[in-house]
């Protein structure tokens, strides 16, 4: 049904008021606070001090690289797992029980996922106990470090566990909606092997559809807080944890620096979002 | 007539018989094209795969259930030291407070979900096609701002409106994110 111009204008206005305005407020407030123009410390610190301190933060570069690396690894793992499930078992899309199981994982709060990973994968966790009973280790200290570790293995697994169910449900739905099964069947009837049909027909169709979701999962997880706090290292820490630590610091002069870090984080993610949208508009290719 | 190897079914003249594994594959392909389903996945296969898949997904939660049955968990015990259902008894003793917390969470979740879905549906309907350019950027903005920063910066206006620390204030802040 065609929409009127008035309805579209009203929709845009509503989008601006409900989403754009709170976001603009959030960023504007952060910028003003970081420059010492608002807040309780506005007369006590010279303008720009917080920014100089934020950029002088010794671990800032390592924190940024660590955050992006962990999120990229988690998103890659989530995409790989969900694509594997959709390609190997597309019939699960018609099973209500499979969807209920995925929904259960999807509805699990990140804090509970973090707790589960700690109980399973920490040196004193269930996996270590199983290894002890299997005679593989003698003490918790012999078990590989999977949480609060340098490679962030537990954190990556937990972040992937949070993102995978939504992607898997989406891909299973896409398999039916885009009739990918029929395309594969047609390819097989024309002489392709089952593997070739899935690799050369189904995978590109699914990949094209899951890309936007993967990008959103990546951007959204950059702001994740509970899991990095529970499972991540203290140095370098994830950017969201660093910002929160500065916010909650007992020294109130740290707050402008926290807002400066928040603005830097916002700028980086906003730039990534703008580039991604431009890439999408260009049909998946960058144009000069 | 038997089909020669390497010939696709579409090359065959009408009425040509196809036999052997090619015939099996062709008939399975025909059925799959007609039904849009997966090859050879019968009801029993789907049920078995569903059970295996759900088991793998839900197995980690079994540890939570196991640990909730007792108190203490000394290494390398697989079971709690005392299977006294202590956590459940404590839960029963504090059920009023827990019930209130669960009720608050469920109410907030339902309210935010209902409002965000309704408003989001209305917004999507009002646009002729998916939003483009700057509008799309605005729609995705909640993904850009960290929830920690959003909560800290929205605290001021919510406190000014008398909503800080209230369920309505939390719902308002969550709705902004849920609308993305």
């Amino acid at each position: 049904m065609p929409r009127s111009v008035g309805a579209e204008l009203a929709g845009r206005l509503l989008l601006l008021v409900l989403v754009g305005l709170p976001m603009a407020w959030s960023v504007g407030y952060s910028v003003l606070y970081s420059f010492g123009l608002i807040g309780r410390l506005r007369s006590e610190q010279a303008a720009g001090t917080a920014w100089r301190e934020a950029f002088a933060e010794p671990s800032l570069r390592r924190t940024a690289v660590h955050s992006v690396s962990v999120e990229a690894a988690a998103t890659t793992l989530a995409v790989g797992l969900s694509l594997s499930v959709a390609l190997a078992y597309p019939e699960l899309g018609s099973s209500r029980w499979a969807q209920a199981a995925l929904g259960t994982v999807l509805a699990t709060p990140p804090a509970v996922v973090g707790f589960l990973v700690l109980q399973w994968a920490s040196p004193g966790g269930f996996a270590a106990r199983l290894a002890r009973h299997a005679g593989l280790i003698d003490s918790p200290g012999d078990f590989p470090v999977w949480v609060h570790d340098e490679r962030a293995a537990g954190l990556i697994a937990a972040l992937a566990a949070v993102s995978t169910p939504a992607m898997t449900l989406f891909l299973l739905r896409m398999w039916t909606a885009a009739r990918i099964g029929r395309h594969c069947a047609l390819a097989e009837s024309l002489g392709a092997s089952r593997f070739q049909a899935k690799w050369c027909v189904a995978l590109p169709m699914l990949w094209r559809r899951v890309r936007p979701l993967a990008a959103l999962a990546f951007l959204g997880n950059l702001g994740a807080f509970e899991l990095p706090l529970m499972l991540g290292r203290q140095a370098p820490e994830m950017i969201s944890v660093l910002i929160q630590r500065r916010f909650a610091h007992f020294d109130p002069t740290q707050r402008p620096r926290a807002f400066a870090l928040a603005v830097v984080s916002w700028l980086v993610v906003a730039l990534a979002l703008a580039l991604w949208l431009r890439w999408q508009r260009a049909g998946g290719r960058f144009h000069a | 007539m038997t089909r020669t190897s390497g010939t696709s079914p579409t090359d065959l003249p009408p009425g040509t018989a196809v036999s052997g594994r090619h015939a099996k594959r062709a008939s399975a392909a025909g059925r799959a094209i007609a039904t849009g389903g997966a090859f050879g996945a019968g009801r029993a296969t789907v049920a078995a795969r569903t059970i295996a898949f759900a088991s793998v997904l839900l197995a980690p939660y079994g540890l939570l259930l196991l640990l909730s049955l007792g108190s203490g968990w000394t290494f390398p015990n697989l079971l709690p030291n005392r299977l006294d259902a202590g956590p459940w008894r404590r839960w029963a003793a504090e059920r009023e407070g827990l019930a209130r917390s669960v009720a608050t969470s469920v109410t907030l979740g339902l309210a935010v979900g209902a409002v965000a879905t309704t408003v989001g549906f209305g917004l999507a309907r009002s646009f002729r096609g998916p939003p483009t350019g700057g509008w799309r950027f605005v729609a995705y903005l909640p993904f850009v701002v960290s929830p920690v920063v959003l909560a800290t910066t929205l605290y001021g206006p919510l406190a000014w409106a008398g909503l800080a620390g209230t369920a309505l204030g939390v719902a308002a802040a969550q709705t902004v994110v849920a609308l993305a």
Side-chain angles (χ1 to χ4, degrees), chain B residues 50-134:
Chain B
T50 299
I51 291 169
F53 181 69
S55 303
V56 169
L57 280 183
L58 302 179
Y61 295 87
L63 181 61
L64 287 185
L65 184 66
L66 185 72
L67 294 179
S68 75
L69 296 177
S71 314
W73 198 35
T74 314
F75 191 89
N77 294 347
L78 291 176
L79 295 174
N81 298 347
R82 294 175 301 282
L83 288 171
D84 55 2
W88 289 101
R89 281 195 276 114
R90 278 194 292 279
W91 175 79
E94 301 163 5
R95 64 179 178 274
E96 200 173 310
L98 279 168
R100 204 178 303 129
S101 298
V102 170
T104 307
S105 301
V106 171
T107 310
L108 273 175
L110 285 174
V112 170
V115 171
T117 306
T118 309
V119 176
F121 180 76
L123 281 173
R125 290 278 298 164
S126 71
F127 278 81
R128 283 177 281 190
T132 53

Side-chain angles (χ1 to χ4, degrees), chain A residues 3 5 17 25 29 41 53 68 70 102 131 135 189 201 209 225 239 251-252 255 259 272:
Chain A
R3 255 75 65 193
V5 176
V17 171
W25 167 270
Y29 186 92
L41 301 168
E53 287 175 351
V68 172
V70 166
L102 281 166
S189 74
V201 178
R209 286 167 172 80
F225 175 67
I239 189 78
D251 179 5
R255 293 204 85 196
F259 278 112

Side-chain angles (χ1 to χ4, degrees), chain A residues 26-71:
Chain A
S26 180
V27 176
Y29 186 92
S30 302
V31 170
L32 293 176
Y33 205 113
S34 68
F35 278 106
L37 299 173
I38 55 172
R40 288 179 184 171
L41 301 168
R42 60 183 176 274
S43 58
E44 295 174 19
Q45 279 196 330
T49 305
W51 284 84
R52 279 194 295 277
E53 287 175 351
F55 280 106
E57 186 96 33
S59 59
L60 183 61
R61 184 182 293 179
R62 285 178 66 207
T63 293
V65 171
H66 180 66
S67 301
V68 172
S69 311
V70 166
E71 293 307 338

Side-chain angles (χ1 to χ4, degrees), chain A residues 2-28:
Chain A
R3 255 75 65 193
S4 69
V5 176
E8 186 163 355
L9 274 176
R12 290 180 183 202
L13 191 65
L14 204 59
L15 184 65
L16 271 184
V17 171
L18 294 179
V19 178
L21 201 61
M23 295 299 132
W25 167 270
S26 180
V27 176

Side-chain angles (χ1 to χ4, degrees), chain A residues 154-202:
Chain A
L155 177 57
I156 289 170
L159 287 168
V162 170
S163 304
T164 303
M167 283 189 204
T168 309
L169 282 169
F170 174 78
L171 287 175
L172 290 173
R173 177 73 65 186
M174 278 301 113
W175 185 279
T176 310
R179 301 180 176 191
I180 295 174
R182 292 189 186 193
H183 287 84
C184 287
L186 186 62
E188 285 203 45
S189 74
L190 293 173
S193 67
R194 184 164 297 185
F195 177 79
Q196 284 173 323
K198 290 200 169 173
W199 186 257
C200 302
V201 178

Side-chain angles (χ1 to χ4, degrees), chain A residues 40-240:
Chain A
R40 288 179 184 171
L41 301 168
R42 60 183 176 274
S43 58
E44 295 174 19
Q45 279 196 330
T49 305
W51 284 84
R52 279 194 295 277
E53 287 175 351
F55 280 106
E57 186 96 33
S59 59
L60 183 61
R61 184 182 293 179
R62 285 178 66 207
T63 293
V65 171
H66 180 66
S67 301
V68 172
S69 311
V70 166
E71 293 307 338
T75 309
T76 306
L77 183 60
V79 171
L81 283 172
S82 51
L83 276 173
S84 302
V85 170
L87 285 170
Y89 308 113
E91 64 275 10
L92 292 177
S94 59
S95 163
R96 286 185 185 174
W97 288 104
Q99 290 180 22
L102 281 166
T104 304
V105 183
L106 184 64
T108 306
V112 177
V113 174
F115 179 72
L116 266 174
V117 171
L118 277 176
Q119 294 301 324
W120 272 93
S122 64
F126 198 69
R129 290 160 197 257
L130 288 175
R132 167 75 172 72
H133 282 279
L136 299 174
I137 62 168
D138 292 323
S139 68
D142 299 333
F143 193 70
V145 183
W146 288 341
V147 292
H148 309 124
D149 59 322
E150 195 178 350
R151 287 159 300 182
L155 177 57
I156 289 170
L159 287 168
V162 170
S163 304
T164 303
M167 283 189 204
T168 309
L169 282 169
F170 174 78
L171 287 175
L172 290 173
R173 177 73 65 186
M174 278 301 113
W175 185 279
T176 310
R179 301 180 176 191
I180 295 174
R182 292 189 186 193
H183 287 84
C184 287
L186 186 62
E188 285 203 45
S189 74
L190 293 173
S193 67
R194 184 164 297 185
F195 177 79
Q196 284 173 323
K198 290 200 169 173
W199 186 257
C200 302
V201 178
L203 180 60
M205 291 178 79
L206 289 175
W207 168 239
R208 197 161 55 84
R209 286 167 172 80
V210 81
R211 267 186 335 210
L213 196 59
L216 287 181
F218 175 77
L219 292 176
N221 277 341
L222 272 176
F225 175 67
E226 294 105 322
L227 288 175
L229 185 70
M230 291 175 78
L231 303 170
R233 290 181 82 196
Q234 286 198 332
E237 55 202 340
M238 299 283 281
I239 189 78
S240 53

